[in-house]
């Protein structure tokens, strides 16, 4: 009878739903979100077109008209050292960056291109820490802040985009990801 009771308890504990503490739930949620980049199609991570407002990109507030940009290519997954400037790479590696995903978009006039890079971390805290470290790496006068390297694509308006031609860089921490961008003229 005792053996039967112990066996029944063992089966019940495996079959019945578990309850998790708030900290455990947060850890599971972080783990699930941090792994999405491996299972989502690249076209879901980087949609074919995006809408934006210039004030949002330049740090202003509201009132600007909406624009759109079209994706011209998605680069292969890159290491955290290879996809960003050296000063940014140090911060990403220190915080355990797993990979950087990049895509390039051009505006409706084909005048400028934006490379968007998504650095993948284990959790929100590491992404935020990397952002802070990149912000602390102050550029020399006349130089851009460290950021994602451009991803140029042959046969597109962004074919001649280069790291030397970048005009603007920036980043935003979003969950376990650090979303970086760099803008340059095509």
């Amino acid at each position: 009878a005792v053996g039967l009771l112990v066996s029944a308890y063992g089966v019940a504990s495996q079959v019945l739903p578990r309850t998790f503490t708030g900290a455990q739930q947060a850890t599971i949620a972080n783990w699930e979100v941090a792994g999405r980049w491996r299972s989502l199609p690249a076209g879901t991570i980087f949609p074919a077109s995006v809408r934006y407002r210039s004030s949002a990109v330049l740090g202003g507030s509201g009132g600007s008209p909406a624009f759109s940009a079209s994706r011209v290519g998605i680069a292969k997954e890159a290491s955290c050292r290879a996809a960003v400037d050296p000063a940014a790479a140090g911060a990403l590696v220190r915080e355990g960056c797993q990979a950087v995903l990049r895509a390039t978009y051009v505006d409706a006039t084909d005048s400028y291109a934006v490379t968007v890079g998504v650095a993948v971390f284990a959790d929100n805290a590491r992404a935020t820490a990397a952002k802070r470290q990149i912000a602390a790496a102050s550029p020399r006068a006349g130089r851009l802040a460290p950021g994602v390297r451009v991803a140029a694509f042959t046969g597109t308006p962004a074919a001649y985009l280069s790291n030397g031609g970048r005009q603007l860089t920036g980043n935003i921490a979003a969950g376990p990801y650090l979303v970086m961008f760099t803008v340059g003229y095509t």
Side-chain angles (χ1 to χ4, degrees), residues 144-186:
L144 289 175
V148 66
R149 292 180 184 263
V150 301
F153 294 92
T154 306
T156 73
Y160 299 107
L161 189 62
S162 70
N163 291 314
R166 295 181 294 177
Q167 301 294 310
L168 178 69
T169 61
N171 59 62
I172 302 162
Y177 305 106
L178 181 62
V179 180
M180 300 173 283
F181 64 88
T182 188
V183 181
Y185 292 106
T186 57

Side-chain angles (χ1 to χ4, degrees), residues 85-109:
D85 295 325
L92 269 57
V93 170
R94 274 191 297 279
E95 295 304 326
C97 175
Q98 299 170 24
V100 176
L101 312 174
R102 293 178 297 162
T104 298
Y105 292 82
V106 294
D107 73 326
T109 65

Side-chain angles (χ1 to χ4, degrees), residues 1-154:
V2 170
L4 186 58
L5 274 171
V6 170
S7 296
Y9 174 77
V11 169
S13 68
Q14 295 298 316
V15 174
L16 295 176
R18 282 185 63 189
T19 56
F20 297 98
T21 66
Q24 289 172 322
Q25 289 174 359
T27 300
I28 292 167
N30 277 337
W31 175 80
E32 194 277 328
V33 170
R36 285 183 184 166
W37 69 278
R38 292 191 186 276
S39 59
L40 289 174
T44 301
I45 296 170
F46 298 112
S49 66
V50 292
R51 296 191 56 74
Y52 64 95
R53 296 191 180 279
S54 61
S55 63
V57 173
L58 299 175
S61 60
S64 67
F67 299 99
S68 66
S70 300
R71 185 186 69 220
V72 295
I74 299 174
K76 291 181 181 178
E77 176 185 323
S79 73
C80 301
R81 285 199 186 280
V84 300
D85 295 325
L92 269 57
V93 170
R94 274 191 297 279
E95 295 304 326
C97 175
Q98 299 170 24
V100 176
L101 312 174
R102 293 178 297 162
T104 298
Y105 292 82
V106 294
D107 73 326
T109 65
D110 291 342
S111 298
Y112 67 90
V114 178
T115 293
V116 178
V118 180
V120 181
F121 294 91
D123 57 41
N124 306 11
R126 289 180 177 266
T128 301
K131 177 180 174 43
R132 271 192 244 111
Q133 291 175 43
I134 291 170
S138 58
R140 288 183 253 148
R143 307 214 57 195
L144 289 175
V148 66
R149 292 180 184 263
V150 301
F153 294 92
T154 306

